[in-house]
Amino acid sequence: MNAVFPQNTSLMRITERPDLVFSHGSGSWLTDEQGKRYLDFVQGWAANCLGHAPAAVLQALNEQSSRLVNPSPAFYNRPSIELAECLTKHSVFDQVFFANSGAEANEGAIKLARKWGRRHKAGAFEIITFENSFHGRTLATMSASGKPGWDKLFAPQVDGFPKAKLNDIDSVTALITSNTAAIMLELVQGEAGVIPATYEFIHSLRELANLSNVLLIVDEVQTGIGRTGKLFAYEHLGIVPDIMTLGKGIGGGIPLAALLAREEVCCFEVGDQGGTFNGNPLTTAVGVAVLNTILTPGFLGDVASKGDYLAARLKILSTNFGLPGERGVGLLRGLVLTNNCAGSIVLSALQRAPDGLLLNAPRPNLLRFMPALTVTHQEIDLMVEWLTSILDDSTALHQ
Ligand SMILES: *Cc1c(COP(=O)(O)O)cnc(C)c1O
């Protein structure tokens, strides 16, 4: 039982980590090296869609790792074919490229849109993205992101990502030129504070894209794979995007991501795209296990009803504390606070005893909830009960 202090580790300090080390997890619960338990409503930033150590993922890892791990992406392997067929069968897309992270899938989407622009639109290369959006941490995806300050960090940026305002169609129309190849967005902005794109906006966007001969790319890295109560968030909106990216939930905690596109957009030629670990049978076998679980009859309906339940409980809590409200879709929800105390609430929740609670604060005045899709009603009740007493005790809330 060693306490690890930051000055003792050789890890690069890329984030402020609390002074604890997690040792194991199961479902909605994590345990640290001191034996303290934590109720986890972060789940590796929504990646662990089936919770910690889910049986389906463990079985897929065990079976596939003893059979075949890495024949190289230059050869077919059965799990990647199976996963690609499952994804195309259950979506409006025709072809899939597998990647290892959401950022890498988005890089692929950006490359595909630029290739399409070169081939079909006289070299159009600009991709309109949105203020406060988040698409990843590679240079191109940071440039595509609209996080304040990121335009200066690691300058110069990758060119060609003019920024519009979410849910403001005129701000998009104003940026369309003959150079525009695509519009790319999150259907629920996650890092920005769980802000859903409206039905009207998405339909206007689809219409604008059609009229301007521009591709529509949806980044469903956070919203995909059941998070919103449907397999993909675009299904709630009744639109057909041209390109979609997936990450996080598709691997159930294992690094896996995907780029999906409709056939008429698939214009990569041999040599344009690749990567050493892309679509390896170990990670794609896990993807198959995750999808099979999520597509079990009743699973998604259950996610939707637990999302409604979490929303209702947060609404009551919000009213009781005189807060501005809650928002989100399915099991991706945000609670708006009256002032910038989200960070201190996250810390109080972590330090709660005897059991801790893991919450996330993507904005200084907002808590984000992204539990396992397998979270129980009792665990939701427990989280709300604990959060209520933390807010009761919190002086920060009323300052
Ligand atoms: C997390 C996230 C990404 C980046 O995914 P990584 O796997 O961290 O590279 C991209 N887009 C959205 C919407 C995300 O939430």
Side-chain angles (χ1 to χ4, degrees):
M1 296 291 159
N2 302 320
V4 169
F5 298 99
Q7 62 268 31
N8 292 343
T9 78
S10 307
L11 292 168
M12 282 195 192
R13 195 162 156 275
I14 49 94
T15 185
E16 215 66 74
R17 296 185 173 104
D19 195 17
L20 60 89
V21 180
F22 286 121
S23 69
H24 57 282
S26 172
S28 289
W29 296 87
L30 273 174
T31 306
D32 71 16
E33 288 183 343
Q34 311 299 315
K36 180 177 170 181
R37 297 197 339 136
Y38 301 78
L39 178 58
D40 188 359
F41 268 62
V42 179
Q43 288 289 358
W45 282 276
N48 312 328
C49 59
L50 305 178
H52 294 281
V57 168
L58 295 189
Q59 191 186 340
L61 279 173
N62 280 335
E63 284 180 6
Q64 191 58 46
S65 63
S66 61
R67 196 173 297 153
L68 179 66
V69 171
N70 188 26
S72 131
F75 300 105
Y76 285 117
N77 72 73
R78 193 53 64 187
S80 73
I81 294 169
E82 215 181 304
L83 183 55
E85 281 176 355
C86 183
L87 286 169
T88 54
K89 180 175 166 210
H90 290 95
S91 73
V92 296
F93 304 98
D94 303 302
Q95 293 186 8
V96 185
F97 168 79
F98 290 112
N100 310 292
S101 71
E104 192 190 357
N106 283 336
E107 283 272 346
I110 292 163
K111 285 169 68 175
L112 187 60
R114 285 192 175 190
K115 178 89 186 190
W116 178 87
R118 180 167 297 181
R119 272 204 149 181
H120 300 293
K121 213 182 160 184
F125 67 94
E126 284 190 346
I127 299 176
I128 298 171
T129 58
F130 290 84
E131 290 177 5
N132 299 310
S133 63
F134 181 79
H135 298 294
R137 288 178 173 277
T138 61
L139 273 177
T141 56
M142 280 185 84
S143 305
S145 298
K147 256 185 125 111
W150 275 21
D151 51 336
K152 303 278 176 345
L153 206 59
F154 309 118
Q157 285 198 296
V158 176
D159 224 2
F161 296 101
K163 302 290 182 301
K165 289 183 166 61
L166 189 72
N167 294 331
D168 177 349
I169 192 67
D170 293 341
S171 75
V172 188
T173 308
L175 293 176
I176 299 261
T177 71
S178 58
N179 272 333
T180 312
I183 302 163
M184 173 167 162
L185 82 165
E186 300 157 86
L187 295 176
V188 181
Q189 284 192 338
E191 291 297 307
V194 193
I195 303 171
T198 65
Y199 185 91
E200 294 72 28
F201 177 69
I202 290 297
H203 280 264
S204 305
L205 208 56
R206 181 67 269 186
E207 199 180 343
L208 176 65
N210 289 349
L211 288 173
S212 321
N213 188 27
V214 159
L215 302 178
L216 186 60
I217 305 172
V218 293
D219 175 348
E220 292 228 29
V221 169
Q222 189 158 141
T223 54
I225 313 295
R227 176 59 45 191
T228 65
K230 292 198 184 284
L231 189 55
F232 306 114
Y234 75 80
E235 297 172 44
H236 288 284
L237 298 158
I239 53 147
V240 177
D242 301 297
I243 296 174
M244 173 171 75
T245 54
L246 298 171
K248 297 200 166 96
I250 191 176
I254 269 73
L256 177 64
L259 159 65
L260 293 84
R262 302 210 292 145
E263 189 160 20
E264 52 272 34
V265 178
C266 293
C267 54
F268 278 147
E269 292 168 284
V270 169
D272 283 350
Q273 181 66 326
T276 302
F277 296 119
N278 294 133
N280 70 74
L282 185 65
T283 56
T284 50
V286 171
V288 170
V290 167
L291 267 180
N292 284 344
T293 305
I294 285 180
L295 292 169
T296 305
F299 188 98
L300 284 169
D302 200 35
V303 172
S305 76
K306 286 185 294 192
D308 290 344
Y309 183 69
L310 176 58
R313 299 273 346 227
L314 290 175
K315 230 168 243 139
I316 294 168
L317 183 147
S318 177
T319 306
N320 289 346
F321 283 95
L323 302 176
E326 74 87 42
R327 60 181 176 234
V329 189
L331 284 173
L332 175 59
R333 310 215 71 89
L335 177 70
V336 191
L337 305 170
T338 31
N339 59 21
N340 292 344
C341 61
S344 85
I345 288 167
V346 166
L347 191 63
S348 301
L350 179 83
Q351 291 170 344
R352 190 190 175 279
D355 295 332
L357 169 64
L358 301 186
L359 296 175
N360 169 253
R363 307 286 282 190
N365 68 339
L366 183 124
L367 294 172
R368 178 170 49 173
F369 306 86
M370 34 195 174
L373 305 183
T374 52
V375 71
T376 65
H377 286 83
Q378 290 90 325
E379 286 162 350
I380 292 173
D381 287 341
L382 207 51
M383 184 281 289
V384 171
E385 186 189 314
W386 293 355
L387 179 58
T388 301
S389 71
I390 289 162
L391 293 177
D392 268 333
D393 294 344
S394 172
T395 49
L397 189 62
H398 307 292
Q399 273 163 7

